[in-house]
Amino acid sequence: KKRTVVTNPGRTWTKLYLRSLLVDNSIYFPEHLLYEDNEIMPLIMAYAKKLAKVEDYLYYYFVGTGGSTTEKRNDQNQFDRLVTSINMYNHFRDRGLLQDFGPEIEYRFIKLYYVITISLCLNRFDPPAMDRLFEIRSYMKQNHPDYRRNQYFRQKENYYTKVITSANDVNPILSRAINNSTRAMIRLLPNKMKNKLLSPRSALLGN
């Protein structure tokens, strides 16, 4: 169970925390960055000694229509996720926690830094953020060259994700071409199916 929640810790705002869990383990939110929860949530789960789930509905989250910062188009602040993802991995490395959670935190990093960012670059920027695609491709080659061997990546990611990341490994121009072709084909589908596949939370967009 511990490995499961480190791999997928969920949202910060869906939980209550003991102050001592954060203070005693020197866990702090990074300042002036979006996606700050990406950096610390796996760390919180790694240090938590006990987790309990409440079945009652006590919090209601309103999903807007593109007004939030993380839903905007062409917003360079969205690339804060690159910083917080690297910081997350480095926290585990520097604290000696990769020994216990190496594959789990590597997969979390792959998902946040690479998989979702590829989708972000291709689908939320006009034109696509090609410079960032080349940047993350270079970082992965230098720091995580064998990421495709990660057991969670192999088990959890869908076929399209594996194709688009593989294409980006070769050349981001190829990943852009595949993404454009896929979206063009989807637009030929019936509206109900098309809207589902092209929605911001679809598997196609990697969210």
Side-chain angles (χ1 to χ4, degrees), residues 111 115-123 157-165 175 178-187 189 193-207:
K111 185 75 173 179
V115 173
I116 296 179
T117 305
I118 290 173
S119 172
L120 173 71
C121 292
L122 292 173
N123 298 301
E157 292 304 319
N158 60 37
Y159 178 75
Y160 181 80
T161 295
K162 292 175 180 176
V163 169
I164 204 72
T165 52
S175 61
I178 292 174
N179 185 72
N180 289 344
S181 298
T182 302
R183 293 176 70 89
M185 288 187 290
I186 287 176
R187 290 190 178 95
L189 297 173
M193 185 180 299
K194 174 178 66 177
N195 292 337
K196 182 178 180 181
L197 289 172
L198 291 176
S199 70
R201 300 188 182 281
S202 71
L204 175 66
L205 297 184
N207 290 326

mmCIF file of all heavy atoms in Angstrom, residues 111 115-123 157-165 175 178-187 189 193-207:
data_model
loop_
_atom_site.group_PDB
_atom_site.id
_atom_site.type_symbol
_atom_site.label_atom_id
_atom_site.label_comp_id
_atom_site.label_asym_id
_atom_site.label_seq_id
_atom_site.Cartn_x
_atom_site.Cartn_y
_atom_site.Cartn_z
ATOM 1 N N LYS A 111 6.006 10.200 -15.355
ATOM 2 C CA LYS A 111 4.641 10.646 -15.642
ATOM 3 C C LYS A 111 4.543 12.165 -15.639
ATOM 4 O O LYS A 111 4.000 12.771 -16.575
ATOM 5 C CB LYS A 111 3.692 10.054 -14.602
ATOM 6 C CG LYS A 111 2.219 10.341 -14.864
ATOM 7 C CD LYS A 111 1.687 9.495 -15.982
ATOM 8 C CE LYS A 111 0.171 9.651 -16.126
ATOM 9 N NZ LYS A 111 -0.360 8.828 -17.239
ATOM 10 N N VAL A 115 5.671 12.360 -19.660
ATOM 11 C CA VAL A 115 4.423 11.983 -20.319
ATOM 12 C C VAL A 115 3.453 13.167 -20.399
ATOM 13 O O VAL A 115 2.975 13.521 -21.485
ATOM 14 C CB VAL A 115 3.759 10.799 -19.581
ATOM 15 C CG1 VAL A 115 2.379 10.509 -20.163
ATOM 16 C CG2 VAL A 115 4.646 9.563 -19.655
ATOM 17 N N ILE A 116 3.162 13.776 -19.276
ATOM 18 C CA ILE A 116 2.177 14.859 -19.269
ATOM 19 C C ILE A 116 2.719 16.102 -19.959
ATOM 20 O O ILE A 116 1.984 16.833 -20.626
ATOM 21 C CB ILE A 116 1.729 15.166 -17.830
ATOM 22 C CG1 ILE A 116 1.016 13.940 -17.238
ATOM 23 C CG2 ILE A 116 0.798 16.369 -17.794
ATOM 24 C CD1 ILE A 116 0.550 14.123 -15.812
ATOM 25 N N THR A 117 4.025 16.340 -19.828
ATOM 26 C CA THR A 117 4.589 17.535 -20.453
ATOM 27 C C THR A 117 4.593 17.422 -21.977
ATOM 28 O O THR A 117 4.410 18.426 -22.677
ATOM 29 C CB THR A 117 6.012 17.795 -19.936
ATOM 30 O OG1 THR A 117 5.988 17.870 -18.510
ATOM 31 C CG2 THR A 117 6.555 19.104 -20.484
ATOM 32 N N ILE A 118 4.799 16.240 -22.509
ATOM 33 C CA ILE A 118 4.693 16.057 -23.962
ATOM 34 C C ILE A 118 3.303 16.466 -24.439
ATOM 35 O O ILE A 118 3.143 17.210 -25.403
ATOM 36 C CB ILE A 118 4.998 14.599 -24.371
ATOM 37 C CG1 ILE A 118 6.476 14.294 -24.185
ATOM 38 C CG2 ILE A 118 4.577 14.341 -25.822
ATOM 39 C CD1 ILE A 118 6.841 12.836 -24.405
ATOM 40 N N SER A 119 2.286 15.985 -23.712
ATOM 41 C CA SER A 119 0.913 16.349 -24.056
ATOM 42 C C SER A 119 0.690 17.849 -23.937
ATOM 43 O O SER A 119 0.056 18.477 -24.799
ATOM 44 C CB SER A 119 -0.055 15.603 -23.138
ATOM 45 O OG SER A 119 -1.366 16.066 -23.325
ATOM 46 N N LEU A 120 1.207 18.426 -22.878
ATOM 47 C CA LEU A 120 1.084 19.873 -22.664
ATOM 48 C C LEU A 120 1.687 20.655 -23.831
ATOM 49 O O LEU A 120 1.069 21.581 -24.368
ATOM 50 C CB LEU A 120 1.787 20.245 -21.357
ATOM 51 C CG LEU A 120 1.934 21.728 -21.015
ATOM 52 C CD1 LEU A 120 0.578 22.309 -20.641
ATOM 53 C CD2 LEU A 120 2.922 21.914 -19.886
ATOM 54 N N CYS A 121 2.881 20.286 -24.221
ATOM 55 C CA CYS A 121 3.566 20.987 -25.316
ATOM 56 C C CYS A 121 2.818 20.875 -26.633
ATOM 57 O O CYS A 121 2.755 21.839 -27.414
ATOM 58 C CB CYS A 121 4.970 20.416 -25.503
ATOM 59 S SG CYS A 121 6.118 20.760 -24.149
ATOM 60 N N LEU A 122 2.236 19.713 -26.888
ATOM 61 C CA LEU A 122 1.593 19.470 -28.174
ATOM 62 C C LEU A 122 0.168 19.999 -28.249
ATOM 63 O O LEU A 122 -0.299 20.369 -29.329
ATOM 64 C CB LEU A 122 1.577 17.969 -28.465
ATOM 65 C CG LEU A 122 2.941 17.315 -28.718
ATOM 66 C CD1 LEU A 122 2.784 15.807 -28.823
ATOM 67 C CD2 LEU A 122 3.601 17.881 -29.963
ATOM 68 N N ASN A 123 -0.513 20.060 -27.115
ATOM 69 C CA ASN A 123 -1.950 20.325 -27.144
ATOM 70 C C ASN A 123 -2.399 21.619 -26.475
ATOM 71 O O ASN A 123 -3.553 22.015 -26.649
ATOM 72 C CB ASN A 123 -2.701 19.152 -26.508
ATOM 73 C CG ASN A 123 -2.477 17.865 -27.260
ATOM 74 O OD1 ASN A 123 -2.778 17.770 -28.445
ATOM 75 N ND2 ASN A 123 -1.928 16.865 -26.590
ATOM 76 N N GLU A 157 0.958 2.521 -18.371
ATOM 77 C CA GLU A 157 0.721 3.459 -19.467
ATOM 78 C C GLU A 157 0.050 2.785 -20.660
ATOM 79 O O GLU A 157 0.341 1.632 -20.980
ATOM 80 C CB GLU A 157 2.036 4.107 -19.894
ATOM 81 C CG GLU A 157 2.618 5.034 -18.843
ATOM 82 C CD GLU A 157 1.660 6.119 -18.414
ATOM 83 O OE1 GLU A 157 0.958 6.699 -19.289
ATOM 84 O OE2 GLU A 157 1.601 6.407 -17.205
ATOM 85 N N ASN A 158 -0.845 3.514 -21.309
ATOM 86 C CA ASN A 158 -1.566 2.948 -22.438
ATOM 87 C C ASN A 158 -0.708 2.959 -23.703
ATOM 88 O O ASN A 158 0.397 3.511 -23.730
ATOM 89 C CB ASN A 158 -2.893 3.698 -22.661
ATOM 90 C CG ASN A 158 -2.691 5.171 -22.949
ATOM 91 O OD1 ASN A 158 -1.744 5.565 -23.626
ATOM 92 N ND2 ASN A 158 -3.590 6.011 -22.452
ATOM 93 N N TYR A 159 -1.263 2.346 -24.734
ATOM 94 C CA TYR A 159 -0.503 2.174 -25.977
ATOM 95 C C TYR A 159 -0.125 3.515 -26.593
ATOM 96 O O TYR A 159 1.017 3.709 -27.046
ATOM 97 C CB TYR A 159 -1.333 1.348 -26.976
ATOM 98 C CG TYR A 159 -0.664 1.158 -28.313
ATOM 99 C CD1 TYR A 159 0.395 0.257 -28.460
ATOM 100 C CD2 TYR A 159 -1.092 1.881 -29.429
ATOM 101 C CE1 TYR A 159 1.014 0.091 -29.691
ATOM 102 C CE2 TYR A 159 -0.475 1.712 -30.655
ATOM 103 C CZ TYR A 159 0.572 0.820 -30.786
ATOM 104 O OH TYR A 159 1.185 0.662 -32.000
ATOM 105 N N TYR A 160 -1.063 4.464 -26.608
ATOM 106 C CA TYR A 160 -0.776 5.751 -27.223
ATOM 107 C C TYR A 160 0.367 6.462 -26.504
ATOM 108 O O TYR A 160 1.242 7.052 -27.140
ATOM 109 C CB TYR A 160 -2.020 6.641 -27.226
ATOM 110 C CG TYR A 160 -1.756 7.981 -27.873
ATOM 111 C CD1 TYR A 160 -1.759 8.119 -29.258
ATOM 112 C CD2 TYR A 160 -1.471 9.103 -27.095
ATOM 113 C CE1 TYR A 160 -1.493 9.328 -29.861
ATOM 114 C CE2 TYR A 160 -1.202 10.322 -27.692
ATOM 115 C CZ TYR A 160 -1.213 10.444 -29.061
ATOM 116 O OH TYR A 160 -0.937 11.637 -29.653
ATOM 117 N N THR A 161 0.357 6.427 -25.178
ATOM 118 C CA THR A 161 1.422 7.069 -24.406
ATOM 119 C C THR A 161 2.778 6.466 -24.752
ATOM 120 O O THR A 161 3.771 7.185 -24.917
ATOM 121 C CB THR A 161 1.167 6.930 -22.901
ATOM 122 O OG1 THR A 161 -0.017 7.647 -22.558
ATOM 123 C CG2 THR A 161 2.335 7.482 -22.091
ATOM 124 N N LYS A 162 2.822 5.165 -24.883
ATOM 125 C CA LYS A 162 4.083 4.510 -25.218
ATOM 126 C C LYS A 162 4.547 4.898 -26.626
ATOM 127 O O LYS A 162 5.746 5.058 -26.866
ATOM 128 C CB LYS A 162 3.928 2.999 -25.077
ATOM 129 C CG LYS A 162 3.750 2.558 -23.623
ATOM 130 C CD LYS A 162 3.483 1.067 -23.509
ATOM 131 C CE LYS A 162 3.303 0.673 -22.047
ATOM 132 N NZ LYS A 162 2.952 -0.755 -21.890
ATOM 133 N N VAL A 163 3.610 5.058 -27.535
ATOM 134 C CA VAL A 163 3.964 5.456 -28.899
ATOM 135 C C VAL A 163 4.479 6.893 -28.928
ATOM 136 O O VAL A 163 5.529 7.174 -29.519
ATOM 137 C CB VAL A 163 2.750 5.306 -29.843
ATOM 138 C CG1 VAL A 163 3.026 5.977 -31.190
ATOM 139 C CG2 VAL A 163 2.421 3.839 -30.050
ATOM 140 N N ILE A 164 3.765 7.802 -28.283
ATOM 141 C CA ILE A 164 4.124 9.212 -28.381
ATOM 142 C C ILE A 164 5.422 9.512 -27.637
ATOM 143 O O ILE A 164 6.231 10.342 -28.060
ATOM 144 C CB ILE A 164 2.973 10.117 -27.868
ATOM 145 C CG1 ILE A 164 3.061 11.521 -28.488
ATOM 146 C CG2 ILE A 164 2.936 10.205 -26.367
ATOM 147 C CD1 ILE A 164 2.708 11.588 -29.930
ATOM 148 N N THR A 165 5.672 8.824 -26.524
ATOM 149 C CA THR A 165 6.946 9.022 -25.826
ATOM 150 C C THR A 165 8.093 8.421 -26.625
ATOM 151 O O THR A 165 9.185 9.006 -26.687
ATOM 152 C CB THR A 165 6.916 8.400 -24.419
ATOM 153 O OG1 THR A 165 6.481 7.025 -24.494
ATOM 154 C CG2 THR A 165 5.985 9.166 -23.494
ATOM 155 N N SER A 175 6.921 13.146 -32.850
ATOM 156 C CA SER A 175 5.809 13.108 -31.885
ATOM 157 C C SER A 175 4.740 14.125 -32.262
ATOM 158 O O SER A 175 3.545 13.869 -32.122
ATOM 159 C CB SER A 175 6.312 13.346 -30.456
ATOM 160 O OG SER A 175 6.915 14.615 -30.314
ATOM 161 N N ILE A 178 2.712 12.620 -35.197
ATOM 162 C CA ILE A 178 1.801 11.559 -34.747
ATOM 163 C C ILE A 178 0.614 12.152 -34.003
ATOM 164 O O ILE A 178 -0.536 11.746 -34.198
ATOM 165 C CB ILE A 178 2.559 10.548 -33.859
ATOM 166 C CG1 ILE A 178 3.566 9.769 -34.702
ATOM 167 C CG2 ILE A 178 1.587 9.602 -33.154
ATOM 168 C CD1 ILE A 178 4.465 8.860 -33.886
ATOM 169 N N ASN A 179 0.889 13.124 -33.162
ATOM 170 C CA ASN A 179 -0.188 13.762 -32.406
ATOM 171 C C ASN A 179 -1.181 14.457 -33.338
ATOM 172 O O ASN A 179 -2.398 14.320 -33.194
ATOM 173 C CB ASN A 179 0.401 14.768 -31.423
ATOM 174 C CG ASN A 179 -0.640 15.380 -30.511
ATOM 175 O OD1 ASN A 179 -1.157 14.733 -29.612
ATOM 176 N ND2 ASN A 179 -0.945 16.650 -30.726
ATOM 177 N N ASN A 180 -0.664 15.182 -34.320
ATOM 178 C CA ASN A 180 -1.545 15.877 -35.270
ATOM 179 C C ASN A 180 -2.387 14.897 -36.066
ATOM 180 O O ASN A 180 -3.583 15.114 -36.286
ATOM 181 C CB ASN A 180 -0.714 16.734 -36.224
ATOM 182 C CG ASN A 180 -0.108 17.947 -35.549
ATOM 183 O OD1 ASN A 180 -0.521 18.332 -34.452
ATOM 184 N ND2 ASN A 180 0.889 18.550 -36.187
ATOM 185 N N SER A 181 -1.776 13.804 -36.495
ATOM 186 C CA SER A 181 -2.502 12.803 -37.281
ATOM 187 C C SER A 181 -3.589 12.133 -36.439
ATOM 188 O O SER A 181 -4.713 11.908 -36.920
ATOM 189 C CB SER A 181 -1.535 11.738 -37.807
ATOM 190 O OG SER A 181 -0.577 12.309 -38.669
ATOM 191 N N THR A 182 -3.258 11.825 -35.197
ATOM 192 C CA THR A 182 -4.220 11.176 -34.308
ATOM 193 C C THR A 182 -5.421 12.075 -34.057
ATOM 194 O O THR A 182 -6.576 11.641 -34.125
ATOM 195 C CB THR A 182 -3.553 10.817 -32.973
ATOM 196 O OG1 THR A 182 -2.436 9.960 -33.221
ATOM 197 C CG2 THR A 182 -4.531 10.114 -32.057
ATOM 198 N N ARG A 183 -5.170 13.345 -33.775
ATOM 199 C CA ARG A 183 -6.265 14.272 -33.518
ATOM 200 C C ARG A 183 -7.110 14.496 -34.772
ATOM 201 O O ARG A 183 -8.335 14.647 -34.687
ATOM 202 C CB ARG A 183 -5.711 15.592 -32.977
ATOM 203 C CG ARG A 183 -5.085 15.464 -31.590
ATOM 204 C CD ARG A 183 -4.467 16.773 -31.125
ATOM 205 N NE ARG A 183 -5.494 17.759 -30.825
ATOM 206 C CZ ARG A 183 -6.072 17.901 -29.633
ATOM 207 N NH1 ARG A 183 -5.747 17.087 -28.637
ATOM 208 N NH2 ARG A 183 -6.984 18.829 -29.437
ATOM 209 N N ALA A 184 -6.475 14.514 -35.921
ATOM 210 C CA ALA A 184 -7.223 14.679 -37.176
ATOM 211 C C ALA A 184 -8.158 13.495 -37.410
ATOM 212 O O ALA A 184 -9.315 13.673 -37.817
ATOM 213 C CB ALA A 184 -6.253 14.828 -38.338
ATOM 214 N N MET A 185 -7.686 12.281 -37.117
ATOM 215 C CA MET A 185 -8.527 11.098 -37.294
ATOM 216 C C MET A 185 -9.677 11.086 -36.301
ATOM 217 O O MET A 185 -10.802 10.706 -36.628
ATOM 218 C CB MET A 185 -7.675 9.835 -37.146
ATOM 219 C CG MET A 185 -6.740 9.590 -38.323
ATOM 220 S SD MET A 185 -5.896 7.985 -38.238
ATOM 221 C CE MET A 185 -4.784 8.275 -36.853
ATOM 222 N N ILE A 186 -9.395 11.509 -35.066
ATOM 223 C CA ILE A 186 -10.439 11.514 -34.038
ATOM 224 C C ILE A 186 -11.562 12.477 -34.409
ATOM 225 O O ILE A 186 -12.736 12.225 -34.131
ATOM 226 C CB ILE A 186 -9.830 11.870 -32.667
ATOM 227 C CG1 ILE A 186 -9.019 10.673 -32.151
ATOM 228 C CG2 ILE A 186 -10.900 12.263 -31.654
ATOM 229 C CD1 ILE A 186 -8.303 10.928 -30.852
ATOM 230 N N ARG A 187 -11.223 13.574 -35.057
ATOM 231 C CA ARG A 187 -12.243 14.554 -35.446
ATOM 232 C C ARG A 187 -13.232 14.003 -36.471
ATOM 233 O O ARG A 187 -14.300 14.581 -36.692
ATOM 234 C CB ARG A 187 -11.568 15.821 -35.972
ATOM 235 C CG ARG A 187 -10.864 16.618 -34.879
ATOM 236 C CD ARG A 187 -10.417 17.989 -35.377
ATOM 237 N NE ARG A 187 -9.785 18.738 -34.309
ATOM 238 C CZ ARG A 187 -8.471 18.785 -34.090
ATOM 239 N NH1 ARG A 187 -7.652 18.105 -34.888
ATOM 240 N NH2 ARG A 187 -7.974 19.489 -33.098
ATOM 241 N N LEU A 189 -14.621 11.116 -36.062
ATOM 242 C CA LEU A 189 -15.515 10.235 -35.312
ATOM 243 C C LEU A 189 -16.808 10.958 -34.955
ATOM 244 O O LEU A 189 -16.880 12.196 -35.013
ATOM 245 C CB LEU A 189 -14.818 9.761 -34.041
ATOM 246 C CG LEU A 189 -13.548 8.915 -34.223
ATOM 247 C CD1 LEU A 189 -12.886 8.670 -32.873
ATOM 248 C CD2 LEU A 189 -13.869 7.597 -34.907
ATOM 249 N N MET A 193 -18.188 10.512 -29.185
ATOM 250 C CA MET A 193 -16.915 9.838 -28.993
ATOM 251 C C MET A 193 -15.758 10.815 -29.150
ATOM 252 O O MET A 193 -14.775 10.785 -28.407
ATOM 253 C CB MET A 193 -16.773 8.682 -29.986
ATOM 254 C CG MET A 193 -15.527 7.820 -29.790
ATOM 255 S SD MET A 193 -15.458 6.479 -31.002
ATOM 256 C CE MET A 193 -16.960 5.587 -30.589
ATOM 257 N N LYS A 194 -15.864 11.723 -30.113
ATOM 258 C CA LYS A 194 -14.814 12.704 -30.367
ATOM 259 C C LYS A 194 -14.604 13.605 -29.161
ATOM 260 O O LYS A 194 -13.466 13.839 -28.736
ATOM 261 C CB LYS A 194 -15.182 13.550 -31.587
ATOM 262 C CG LYS A 194 -14.224 14.708 -31.853
ATOM 263 C CD LYS A 194 -14.624 15.462 -33.103
ATOM 264 C CE LYS A 194 -15.955 16.153 -32.916
ATOM 265 N NZ LYS A 194 -16.321 16.952 -34.114
ATOM 266 N N ASN A 195 -15.674 14.122 -28.580
ATOM 267 C CA ASN A 195 -15.559 15.020 -27.435
ATOM 268 C C ASN A 195 -14.935 14.332 -26.234
ATOM 269 O O ASN A 195 -14.174 14.933 -25.472
ATOM 270 C CB ASN A 195 -16.935 15.571 -27.068
ATOM 271 C CG ASN A 195 -17.484 16.507 -28.125
ATOM 272 O OD1 ASN A 195 -16.712 17.075 -28.900
ATOM 273 N ND2 ASN A 195 -18.798 16.657 -28.169
ATOM 274 N N LYS A 196 -15.242 13.067 -26.077
ATOM 275 C CA LYS A 196 -14.673 12.314 -24.967
ATOM 276 C C LYS A 196 -13.171 12.165 -25.131
ATOM 277 O O LYS A 196 -12.387 12.360 -24.197
ATOM 278 C CB LYS A 196 -15.331 10.945 -24.856
ATOM 279 C CG LYS A 196 -14.815 10.108 -23.690
ATOM 280 C CD LYS A 196 -15.554 8.772 -23.617
ATOM 281 C CE LYS A 196 -15.029 7.940 -22.453
ATOM 282 N NZ LYS A 196 -15.722 6.621 -22.366
ATOM 283 N N LEU A 197 -12.740 11.838 -26.333
ATOM 284 C CA LEU A 197 -11.318 11.611 -26.579
ATOM 285 C C LEU A 197 -10.507 12.896 -26.584
ATOM 286 O O LEU A 197 -9.326 12.896 -26.230
ATOM 287 C CB LEU A 197 -11.131 10.880 -27.918
ATOM 288 C CG LEU A 197 -11.583 9.421 -27.934
ATOM 289 C CD1 LEU A 197 -11.531 8.883 -29.360
ATOM 290 C CD2 LEU A 197 -10.734 8.569 -27.019
ATOM 291 N N LEU A 198 -11.118 14.006 -26.983
ATOM 292 C CA LEU A 198 -10.399 15.268 -27.067
ATOM 293 C C LEU A 198 -10.578 16.155 -25.843
ATOM 294 O O LEU A 198 -10.092 17.264 -25.815
ATOM 295 C CB LEU A 198 -10.840 16.038 -28.321
ATOM 296 C CG LEU A 198 -10.418 15.440 -29.647
ATOM 297 C CD1 LEU A 198 -10.986 16.242 -30.802
ATOM 298 C CD2 LEU A 198 -8.909 15.344 -29.760
ATOM 299 N N SER A 199 -11.273 15.665 -24.826
ATOM 300 C CA SER A 199 -11.472 16.468 -23.626
ATOM 301 C C SER A 199 -10.149 16.635 -22.896
ATOM 302 O O SER A 199 -9.238 15.811 -23.047
ATOM 303 C CB SER A 199 -12.482 15.785 -22.702
ATOM 304 O OG SER A 199 -11.921 14.616 -22.143
ATOM 305 N N PRO A 200 -10.014 17.686 -22.050
ATOM 306 C CA PRO A 200 -8.748 17.936 -21.335
ATOM 307 C C PRO A 200 -8.311 16.791 -20.445
ATOM 308 O O PRO A 200 -7.141 16.664 -20.125
ATOM 309 C CB PRO A 200 -9.062 19.190 -20.524
ATOM 310 C CG PRO A 200 -10.129 19.877 -21.294
ATOM 311 C CD PRO A 200 -10.961 18.773 -21.876
ATOM 312 N N ARG A 201 -9.241 15.930 -20.031
ATOM 313 C CA ARG A 201 -8.887 14.857 -19.116
ATOM 314 C C ARG A 201 -8.820 13.488 -19.795
ATOM 315 O O ARG A 201 -8.826 12.453 -19.145
ATOM 316 C CB ARG A 201 -9.881 14.812 -17.940
ATOM 317 C CG ARG A 201 -9.876 16.110 -17.170
ATOM 318 C CD ARG A 201 -10.697 16.039 -15.899
ATOM 319 N NE ARG A 201 -10.692 17.316 -15.219
ATOM 320 C CZ ARG A 201 -9.709 17.776 -14.460
ATOM 321 N NH1 ARG A 201 -8.638 17.043 -14.286
ATOM 322 N NH2 ARG A 201 -9.790 18.953 -13.899
ATOM 323 N N SER A 202 -8.763 13.486 -21.111
ATOM 324 C CA SER A 202 -8.729 12.220 -21.839
ATOM 325 C C SER A 202 -7.338 11.596 -21.810
ATOM 326 O O SER A 202 -6.345 12.262 -21.577
ATOM 327 C CB SER A 202 -9.152 12.438 -23.293
ATOM 328 O OG SER A 202 -8.152 13.138 -23.992
ATOM 329 N N ALA A 203 -7.297 10.307 -22.078
ATOM 330 C CA ALA A 203 -6.011 9.604 -22.145
ATOM 331 C C ALA A 203 -5.158 10.143 -23.293
ATOM 332 O O ALA A 203 -3.946 10.159 -23.230
ATOM 333 C CB ALA A 203 -6.256 8.104 -22.339
ATOM 334 N N LEU A 204 -5.823 10.624 -24.351
ATOM 335 C CA LEU A 204 -5.100 11.156 -25.509
ATOM 336 C C LEU A 204 -4.208 12.326 -25.089
ATOM 337 O O LEU A 204 -3.078 12.470 -25.546
ATOM 338 C CB LEU A 204 -6.079 11.612 -26.578
ATOM 339 C CG LEU A 204 -5.457 12.309 -27.801
ATOM 340 C CD1 LEU A 204 -4.603 11.336 -28.577
ATOM 341 C CD2 LEU A 204 -6.512 12.915 -28.686
ATOM 342 N N LEU A 205 -4.734 13.160 -24.196
ATOM 343 C CA LEU A 205 -3.973 14.334 -23.783
ATOM 344 C C LEU A 205 -3.054 14.041 -22.617
ATOM 345 O O LEU A 205 -2.338 14.920 -22.140
ATOM 346 C CB LEU A 205 -4.944 15.474 -23.399
ATOM 347 C CG LEU A 205 -5.813 15.980 -24.548
ATOM 348 C CD1 LEU A 205 -6.638 17.159 -24.080
ATOM 349 C CD2 LEU A 205 -4.962 16.396 -25.726
ATOM 350 N N GLY A 206 -3.075 12.822 -22.118
ATOM 351 C CA GLY A 206 -2.114 12.431 -21.094
ATOM 352 C C GLY A 206 -2.385 12.999 -19.729
ATOM 353 O O GLY A 206 -1.501 12.999 -18.883
ATOM 354 N N ASN A 207 -3.596 13.466 -19.422
ATOM 355 C CA ASN A 207 -3.875 14.079 -18.114
ATOM 356 C C ASN A 207 -4.377 13.045 -17.125
ATOM 357 O O ASN A 207 -4.856 12.022 -17.509
ATOM 358 C CB ASN A 207 -4.918 15.179 -18.260
ATOM 359 C CG ASN A 207 -4.342 16.364 -18.997
ATOM 360 O OD1 ASN A 207 -3.175 16.677 -18.876
ATOM 361 N ND2 ASN A 207 -5.182 17.026 -19.787
#
